[in-house]
């Protein structure tokens, strides 16, 4: 499925010395309500295209990605499996590109995510899966990319050119596209995702973008920390991974995203006054786990905060998770600025990482 040709945003370039640090990232973040609104309107069409491409029978789903797209893939894993009633998991591209794996993908749906559609190992792994029987859905911002050419169904996110190194509008568009694919695979509980609630997402994101007070306060309080942990579970765990990546790449803070369950299996012993914890609670069945961890952190004297943006009455866990991702983008940008870094163009990073 193709989309309209993305328009180029009227933002300055990240390496323009006259551009204020963080201005490009902020401008692209501000485009998210419109990007999400366009994509929400296309979700019924997306669902029809995906259902038409599914193998019969569907044996399972695999997601292939790297970087921020990999965090969106983790998000998808928590949606695809309950929706389809079939196993869902993440592929390791290196199994193809380094170990020469020849996996039989007959009966499998492969969903590949890449903002640029140009990461060599993603394209190679997807091509290998398709040659061995997979049906392929590609989620990318570039409709004429190499990845798009490998797809049975193309989901062009139509986010427009993204200039700042940290992916923002393309990530939330991927998250929304993943929800749309999941709804095409089968029913999800109405507390997890539904189209009516997703239609409210653009306005909720506008409110999140406008409400920066909590982010500014936390960035000021924690700017001196060189390490922190971002913890969530389920869909909130995927949001934690993405939030940690944004903080890490924009500010140089070594932020680690981790499942609450995994944190309790040993890493919690490394926490203390110098390593604060950011808790991600997007509602749903994992909220009690967040509460239990919060009580443990209080007892152990570990500094912590809970991400709780104003979400304007969003009812479903998936929609709240996407809006919370935007809140963490705000926080990452402010962390970077507080630490004297330019989040538009972090040192040592490029917009496209050509891993093979």
């Amino acid at each position: 499925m193709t989309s309209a040709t993305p328009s180029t945003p009227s933002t300055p370039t990240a390496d323009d010395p006259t551009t204020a640090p963080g201005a490009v990232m902020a401008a692209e973040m501000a485009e998210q309500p419109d990007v999400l609104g366009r994509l929400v309107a296309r979700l019924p069409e997306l669902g029809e295209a995906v259902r038409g491409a599914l193998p019969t029978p569907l044996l399972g789903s695999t997601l292939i990605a790297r970087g921020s797209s990999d965090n969106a893939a983790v998000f998808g894993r928590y949606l695809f499996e309950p929706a389809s009633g079939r196993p869902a998991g993440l592929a390791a591209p290196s199994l193809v590109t380094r170990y020469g794996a020849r996996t039989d993908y007959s009966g499998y749906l492969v969903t590949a995510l890449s903002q640029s559609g140009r990461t060599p190992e993603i394209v190679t792994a997807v091509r290998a899966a398709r040659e061995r029987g997979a049906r392929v859905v590609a989620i990318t911002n570039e409709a004429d990319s190499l990845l798009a050419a490998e797809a049975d169904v193309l989901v062009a996110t139509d986010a427009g050119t993204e200039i700042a190194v940290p992916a923002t509008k393309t990530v939330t568009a991927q998250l929304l596209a993943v929800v749309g694919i999941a709804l095409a695979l089968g029913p999800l509980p109405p507390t997890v995702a539904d189209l009516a609630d997703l239609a409210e997402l653009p306005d909720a994101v506008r409110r999140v973008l406008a409400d920066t007070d909590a982010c500014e306060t936390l960035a000021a309080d924690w700017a001196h920390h060189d390490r922190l942990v971002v913890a969530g579970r389920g869909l909130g765990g995927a949001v934690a991974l993405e939030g940690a990546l944004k903080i890490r790449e924009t500010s140089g803070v070594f932020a680690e995203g981790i499942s609450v369950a995994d944190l309790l299996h040993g890493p919690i012993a490394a926490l203390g006054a110098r390593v604060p914890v950011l808790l991600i609670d997007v509602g749903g069945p994992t909220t009690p786990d967040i509460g239990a961890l919060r009580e443990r952190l209080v007892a152990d004297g570990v500094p912590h905060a809970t991400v709780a943006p104003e979400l304007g009455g969003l009812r479903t866990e998936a929609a709240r998770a996407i809006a919370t991702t935007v809140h963490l983008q705000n926080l990452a940008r402010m962390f970077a600025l507080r630490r004297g870094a330019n989040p538009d163009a972090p040192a040592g990073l490029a917009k496209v990482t050509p891993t093979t």
Side-chain angles (χ1 to χ4, degrees):
M1 181 181 72
T2 58
S3 67
T5 302
S7 59
T8 302
S10 56
T11 54
T13 59
D15 57 358
D16 184 344
T18 66
T19 301
V24 179
M25 184 178 177
E28 292 174 347
M29 288 166 56
E31 295 177 37
Q32 289 176 109
D34 290 339
V35 172
L36 295 171
R38 290 194 298 268
L39 187 52
V40 164
R42 292 166 45 213
L43 289 184
E45 178 189 355
L46 164 62
E48 291 181 10
V50 171
R51 285 189 289 271
L54 290 176
T56 305
L58 175 66
L59 300 183
S61 301
T62 298
L63 299 102
I64 303 178
R66 287 289 192 199
S68 285
S69 298
D70 206 30
N71 299 329
V74 173
F75 189 74
R77 179 178 64 185
Y78 281 99
L79 296 168
F80 286 13
E81 189 160 322
S84 66
R86 299 292 183 181
L90 274 61
S94 298
L95 285 172
V96 174
T97 63
R98 293 295 183 268
Y99 293 92
R102 300 179 60 84
T103 305
D104 183 358
Y105 274 96
S106 300
Y108 268 72
L109 178 71
V110 165
T111 300
L113 304 93
S114 170
Q115 283 115 24
S116 69
R118 291 186 281 131
T119 302
E121 65 176 331
I122 303 302
V123 175
T124 300
V126 168
R127 184 176 296 134
R130 190 176 188 188
E131 289 172 351
R132 292 167 179 80
R135 298 289 179 86
V136 175
V137 176
I139 304 174
T140 180
N141 199 41
E142 301 295 337
D144 60 352
S145 62
L146 292 173
L147 178 61
E150 297 294 332
D152 296 293
V153 177
L154 170 61
V155 185
T157 51
D158 194 19
T161 303
E162 194 169 59
I163 300 170
V165 170
T168 53
K169 59 182 179 174
T170 54
V171 173
T172 50
Q174 285 181 332
L175 294 173
L176 179 56
V178 161
V179 179
I181 295 169
L183 290 170
L185 294 178
L188 285 166
T191 56
V192 174
D194 70 39
L195 289 176
D197 197 46
L198 291 174
E200 303 298 321
L201 183 59
D203 284 341
V205 168
R206 285 189 183 92
R207 287 189 287 271
V208 170
L209 288 167
D211 183 15
T212 61
D213 290 349
C215 292
E216 290 174 348
T217 298
L218 187 60
D221 290 346
W222 285 10
H224 64 286
H225 288 289
D226 291 321
R227 298 184 63 191
L228 63 87
V229 168
V230 187
R233 195 169 189 183
L235 296 181
V239 174
L241 292 173
E242 174 59 16
L245 175 59
K246 283 293 161 288
I247 293 169
R248 190 164 61 241
E249 67 183 350
T250 57
S251 68
V253 172
F254 195 88
E256 181 176 2
I258 192 169
S259 159
V260 167
D262 286 332
L263 181 63
L264 294 172
H265 278 269
I268 195 168
L271 301 182
R274 298 182 186 178
V275 186
V277 178
L278 191 60
L279 300 169
I280 308 300
D281 185 0
V282 298
T286 64
T287 291
D289 301 305
I290 305 301
L293 177 57
R294 186 185 300 112
E295 292 177 2
R296 171 78 179 269
L297 297 175
V298 170
D300 292 349
V302 177
H304 60 279
T306 302
V307 171
E310 172 52 53
L311 300 181
L314 291 178
R315 296 179 290 100
T316 62
E317 190 179 352
R320 290 195 299 267
I322 296 171
T324 301
T325 300
V326 177
H327 182 85
L328 289 169
Q329 294 169 359
N330 259 335
L331 180 60
R333 178 176 173 274
M334 292 172 187
F335 254 120
L337 294 176
R338 280 280 178 177
R339 291 172 61 86
N342 181 4
D344 294 339
L349 296 180
K351 186 62 184 170
V352 178
T353 305
T355 50
T356 60

